[in-house]
Amino acid sequence: MMTALVFGSFATLAPQMAQAQAYTWQGPTLLSSGNTMNGCRLRTPMATHTGSLGLNNIFLTVRNEGQAPVRITANVELSGNNSRKSTTISSGVIPAGAQASIQTMTPGGSTRDNTTLRVQFTSCAPATN
């Protein structure tokens, strides 16, 4: 009888926990600048976060729509809910026509709702493997 009760509790909580843990920034909640510096053509279609606010990182998707492989650096800022957090990121080689998922920072705080992620590319340089 005790086992059925425990399994019933986990089954009830699991869908609610999964929904609360995933978050995506895109469109008006994901802003970027510097995308075309030095002849580069970069896009940031989305950023995602899954899991603990204090332990798991935000991953930023950067797509290289240019004709050559590149390496990038950028300043990333998460703001909203009366708080602001920032970091600097850099990438390995992003091939032409490919995209990379780059680890940024933990969101921290108590919620990701009503936040904006800003990406300012500070360098974009041709890369050789």
Side-chain angles (χ1 to χ4, degrees):
M1 194 71 125
M2 182 69 156
T3 303
L5 178 61
V6 170
F7 284 125
S9 297
F10 286 133
T12 303
L13 290 175
Q16 294 170 349
M17 289 170 50
Q19 289 175 352
Q21 292 182 349
Y23 195 85
T24 300
W25 291 266
Q26 58 189 15
T29 62
L30 177 60
L31 307 174
S32 61
S33 62
N35 306 45
T36 57
M37 71 168 46
N38 200 23
C40 290
R41 290 180 44 218
L42 304 171
R43 298 287 175 263
T44 54
M46 75 171 127
T48 58
H49 178 264
T50 303
S52 166
L53 293 172
L55 298 176
N56 297 80
N57 285 294
I58 297 169
F59 284 86
L60 175 68
T61 300
V62 177
R63 186 170 42 232
N64 176 8
E65 295 183 348
Q67 300 297 313
V70 297
R71 291 181 193 270
I72 62 100
T73 59
N75 294 323
V76 179
E77 179 184 272
L78 179 64
S79 61
N81 300 319
N82 297 316
S83 67
R84 183 175 305 230
K85 190 172 184 179
S86 62
T87 192
T88 299
I89 61 169
S90 60
S91 74
V93 174
I94 306 173
Q99 65 184 32
S101 180
I102 303 170
Q103 181 175 315
T104 63
M105 64 187 146
T106 61
S110 59
T111 182
R112 296 158 294 199
D113 296 335
N114 303 312
T115 58
T116 299
L117 195 67
R118 289 177 177 81
V119 180
Q120 179 186 15
F121 292 99
T122 55
S123 74
C124 179
T128 56
N129 295 336

